[in-house]
Amino acid sequence: MERVSFDLVSHYALGLPGPDMRAGFPAAAERVRAAKARLGARALEVALQRDPTLAGRAGETGLRQLLRDTDIYLERIALALASGDLGQTREWADWVAPVYRRRKVPMDDLVTLSEGLRAADAALDEAIATFRRYRRIAGDARKRSRILTALYKGG
């Protein structure tokens, strides 16, 4: 089990400052907030494509609740982006797990929904793989010799 150091946790009740919402990527967080409805609907759509049984288990009301919950989930992701603190989403997941258990929503369904939110991430993974491949071809992956660099520059 992961041990949490409480001396590093910012908390208003302890008199410590809250997280700095400009430390991470506040512009990206605003874009996520602006597109919450579209991203949430797309995430649910991807989750239903990956696991068609989700619709049968959740029913129409359950799917509406999951769609509503993606709004809150995306807000936590936006907070994590803005503050640079990835623990924002972990804390949210810790808080809502009992609520989902009470609603009899399997955690696998939440993982599937999270994977639906990660659909854009798969596109980024492809781009990163391409950049890494070109990095190898161009020789960026290894440290260059100062002697060879000096020889090629002629000085």
Side-chain angles (χ1 to χ4, degrees):
M1 183 170 194
E2 183 180 325
R3 193 173 174 135
V4 178
S5 174
F6 289 103
D7 56 341
L8 299 176
V9 176
S10 62
H11 196 280
Y12 302 112
L14 299 176
L16 300 172
D20 182 10
M21 291 301 163
R22 295 168 302 190
F25 302 99
E30 285 306 313
R31 288 193 300 273
V32 168
R33 285 185 182 110
K36 274 196 290 193
R38 185 175 46 84
L39 289 172
R42 180 68 182 137
L44 188 58
E45 183 181 318
V46 170
L48 289 170
Q49 287 174 355
R50 288 185 180 198
D51 185 9
T53 63
L54 176 63
R57 279 195 311 275
E60 186 177 337
T61 305
L63 289 177
R64 285 178 191 232
Q65 286 178 337
L66 283 175
L67 182 60
R68 183 198 63 202
D69 293 345
T70 58
D71 195 47
I72 300 165
Y73 195 178
L74 285 164
E75 178 59 32
R76 292 306 287 204
I77 290 171
L79 285 173
L81 279 171
S83 67
D85 177 20
L86 301 179
Q88 296 278 348
T89 52
R90 183 184 59 241
E91 288 174 359
W92 177 80
D94 281 339
W95 295 335
V96 299
V99 174
Y100 285 114
R101 285 285 179 211
R102 201 170 31 251
R103 280 202 242 160
K104 295 184 175 37
V105 175
M107 292 296 116
D108 286 342
D109 289 351
L110 297 175
V111 170
T112 304
L113 185 64
S114 297
E115 291 292 337
L117 286 172
R118 191 192 302 228
D121 192 35
L124 291 175
D125 287 342
E126 292 298 317
I128 290 169
T130 302
F131 291 145
R132 285 193 175 140
R133 186 177 65 238
Y134 280 106
R135 183 178 145 235
R136 273 197 327 265
I137 292 170
D140 293 344
R142 58 187 171 275
K143 188 175 178 181
R144 297 190 178 160
S145 167
R146 288 186 285 166
I147 296 170
L148 289 176
T149 304
L151 287 174
Y152 285 122
K153 285 186 177 179

